Structures are given as structure tokens and as C-alpha cells.
Amino acid sequence: MNRALLKIYAFLKDRFSLSSDRANEQEIIEAIRKGVEFKGVNVWVLIFAIMIASVGLNVNATAVIIGAMLISPLMGPIMGIGLGLGISDTELIKKAARNLAVMVVVSVVTSTLYFLLSPLQQAQSELLNRTTPTTWDVFIALFGGLAGIIATASKERGNVIPGVAIATALMPPLCTAGYGIATGSLNYFAGAFYLFTINAVFICFSTLLIVRFLRFHEVNFVSQALKKRVRSVIGVSVVLMVLPSIYIARNLVLKTVFEEKVNNFVGSAFQFPSTEVVKFKAVHKPEQSIEVALMGSPLDDNTIANLQNMLVVYDLKDVKLVIRQ
């Protein structure tokens, strides 16, 4: 029995080991350091990528947005910060943070200029999707970052890094933040910038985790006290990023569940031979209500009262029913 368990353990260890095709530690560090650089070609690539993504968001073209994310160099400095934290390299942390800050400013300014000049000012669905980050965005950023750093640490990187760039979507939120500035929409700017911050923090955190897991050699900090302080800041930052997203996710779930119940109620209860539902709306806040517009023979008071009583059956107690005939 013990021999069988040892064989299973050996098999699983071999399958899940990260050391089998791992690149040399110095090669990995150099590869990430190169991505931290932001000058010359990278500057222009970022500007053009931001313009492409802004156009895609403006005309609701998903394929265009994906293309822009593939050519964006934003991942480099974020992974650089994570690596710097993992190996306690203060110079790398400063350089990566400085370049990331410049990249963010360039991105937001470029997208703001585009949306100021664009004749299309209406917010499309692709743009609106970047204004309400939730806990699921945290998971995407965390697991995307883990995939990114593990792929970077392997000898054959394949197409993982471009996939991570698409999944974590660093660029569209910055373009949406620029849209918020151009249109004077503080909510759009705040929501989009929060989404970008979530992605950046958790990609950075993922890189830090894997670097420590792979036991990269550390460069000594100025002092142990500074090292502890930095790690405390990391922990606090992660918590601060997660808490608001949990609240937003909770509201989103409650809203979705409420809308599903309303759909079931209207679809089942409003079955009348000479009266049809033209449209209906589920209002979640500030007070839960259902607004239904009808066409055809008017419903009498008894029928409306029965409909109101039926709300309990569909778990919609205390929900106000508003019928317009």
C-alpha cells in the first residue's frame, strides 16, 4: 500500500514539477528586466496600441481591442515590480515602478486626446464592461499573472504571454479612464482605473509568489526592517484591492438573481389571451420594483391584485409591481 502511494506521489510530483523545463534563473531575470525598459520603440508601440484600443472601444469592435492588447508592452514593468519584490531588488522595483507610472500617464493622455477628438461620444458595451470591476476580475488577474510568470520561467514560453495580456486586459481600462476624463465622467474614470489597479496589483503579486516559490536568490535590502515594511505594504494593498471588488461582486450577483426571478415571473404570470407584454424592467435600487408595460385589453383590479400576490411564489416578496396599460 505504501509503495503504491509512493508511486502515485512520484507520478504527481513529476507531472506538476516546475523544474523540469525551467530556464536558468539568470535568463528569467534578464527576460523580465528587458520587459521593464520603456523608451524608443516601446513608447511608440504603446501609443499606437492605445489608439487602436480606443478606436475599438469607441466603435465596440472586440477583435480590434484584442489586437491592441496583444501588442501592448504594459505587462513588462508590472512583472518587473513583482520580480523586484521577490528578489528584494530595490533598484529594479524603482525602475519598474517609474516606467509603469510613465506608461500609465502616456496611455491615459493618449486615450483622452482621442476621445476629445472623436465625434462618437456614446459609451458602448465594451467600454462599459471596464467600469465595474468585481471579484472575478481579481481571480482573472491572479491566475493570469501566475500563468504569465510560470511561462516566463520556462524554456519554451509559447503563446502564454499574449494570452495573459488578453485575459487580464490591462490596456482597455486605461482607455476607458481616458474616456472618463474626456467626457467628464468621474464614475467611468474611477471604475476603469480601479480595474487597471486590480490587474496590475495581482499580476505583480502572482509574480512575487512564483519567484519566492522557485526560491530565486535575493538581493539584500537596505535593512530587514525595510523588507518587513515592504511586505506589509504588499499585504495591505492586496486586501484593499479585494474588499471593494467583493462588495461590487455581491451587488452584481444580487442584481442578476433578482433579474432572473423577474424574468421567470413575467414570463409565467403574464399569460393573457388578449393582452401582451410590450416590455418590462427590473429595478434593483433604490427600491426593488417591476415595471411592466402592457398592450391590448386592460387588466381589471382583481387580476392585478392576483399578480401582486403571485410575487411571493417567485420569491419576490416586498417587490413593488407597477403596471402601465
Side-chain angles (χ1 to χ4, degrees), residues 10 66 91 201 221 257 274:
I66 291 173
E91 289 304 313
V201 166
F221 257 105
V257 170
S274 55

Side-chain angles (χ1 to χ4, degrees), residues 215-226:
R215 299 181 182 278
F216 280 28
H217 294 90
E218 288 191 70
V219 178
N220 290 330
F221 257 105
V222 176
S223 67
Q224 285 297 317
L226 178 59

Side-chain angles (χ1 to χ4, degrees), residues 9 30 47 76 148 161 191 221 238 287 310:
Y9 172 74
E30 285 305 312
I47 291 173
I161 301 299
F221 257 105
V238 168
E287 180 184 34
M310 286 178 68

Side-chain angles (χ1 to χ4, degrees), residues 18-321:
L18 294 176
S19 59
S20 57
D21 62 345
R22 176 181 160 186
N24 178 272
E25 180 179 318
Q26 204 55 42
E27 289 178 13
I28 299 167
I29 292 173
E30 285 305 312
I32 296 176
R33 282 184 185 276
K34 285 180 182 177
V36 169
E37 294 293 336
F38 183 60
K39 59 183 179 180
V41 173
N42 275 355
V43 176
W44 289 105
V45 168
L46 178 65
I47 291 173
F48 297 146
I50 284 289
M51 290 298 291
I52 294 169
S54 297
V55 171
L57 289 167
N58 204 196
V59 300
N60 222 36
T62 305
V64 174
I65 300 167
I66 291 173
M69 288 187 284
L70 282 170
I71 60 177
S72 166
L74 280 166
M75 280 278 290
I78 297 171
M79 293 181 71
I81 295 172
L83 172 65
L85 291 168
I87 63 175
S88 303
D89 189 338
T90 52
E91 289 304 313
L92 178 58
I93 295 169
K94 289 177 185 177
K95 182 178 180 181
R98 184 168 58 246
N99 285 344
L100 179 61
V102 174
M103 281 180 155
V104 169
V105 171
V106 169
S107 299
V108 174
V109 168
T110 303
S111 59
T112 301
L113 290 174
Y114 169 81
F115 284 111
L116 283 172
L117 297 173
S118 173
L120 305 175
Q121 294 297 310
Q122 185 176 357
Q124 302 291 341
S125 61
E126 283 288 350
L127 195 145
L128 291 172
N129 288 341
R130 271 79 189 187
T131 59
T132 52
T134 66
T135 313
W136 291 283
D137 294 296
V138 171
F139 291 140
I140 291 168
L142 177 63
F143 294 118
L146 289 171
I149 183 59
I150 288 174
T152 302
S154 68
K155 293 175 183 176
E156 296 183 11
R157 295 176 177 84
N159 60 355
V160 175
I161 301 299
V164 172
I166 295 171
T168 53
L170 290 164
M171 183 171 290
L174 290 178
C175 295
T176 304
Y179 173 85
I181 294 173
T183 58
S185 304
L186 182 60
N187 288 340
Y188 285 2
F189 173 82
F193 205 81
Y194 176 43
L195 175 55
F196 171 78
T197 306
I198 283 176
N199 290 337
V201 166
F202 280 91
I203 290 171
C204 174
F205 183 61
S206 301
T207 305
L208 167 62
L209 288 178
I210 296 301
V211 165
R212 297 310 306 139
F213 178 77
L214 295 176
R215 299 181 182 278
F216 280 28
H217 294 90
E218 288 191 70
V219 178
N220 290 330
F221 257 105
V222 176
S223 67
Q224 285 297 317
L226 178 59
K227 187 174 181 178
K228 288 180 180 178
R229 199 179 311 136
V230 168
R231 289 185 175 173
S232 297
V233 169
I234 295 168
V236 171
S237 299
V238 168
V239 172
L240 290 177
M241 288 299 104
V242 171
L243 289 179
S245 71
I246 292 174
Y247 174 76
I248 296 170
R250 175 182 173 275
N251 287 342
L252 179 62
V253 169
L254 291 175
K255 182 182 177 184
T256 303
V257 170
F258 175 65
E259 288 175 349
E260 286 179 358
K261 291 176 182 177
V262 170
N263 288 339
N264 291 335
F265 167 68
V266 174
S268 301
F270 283 80
Q271 297 292 332
F272 302 105
S274 55
T275 306
E276 292 183 6
V277 176
V278 179
K279 63 178 181 178
F280 65 93
K281 181 181 178 182
V283 180
H284 188 240
K285 286 187 175 182
E287 180 184 34
Q288 287 190 334
S289 64
I290 305 170
E291 299 176 3
V292 184
L294 301 176
M295 179 178 69
S297 301
L299 303 181
D300 56 42
D301 292 340
N302 287 334
T303 304
I304 294 174
N306 287 334
L307 288 169
Q308 184 72 55
N309 293 332
M310 286 178 68
L311 288 170
V312 179
V313 178
Y314 292 88
D315 196 21
L316 293 168
K317 185 182 177 182
D318 300 326
V319 175
K320 184 180 179 183
L321 178 62

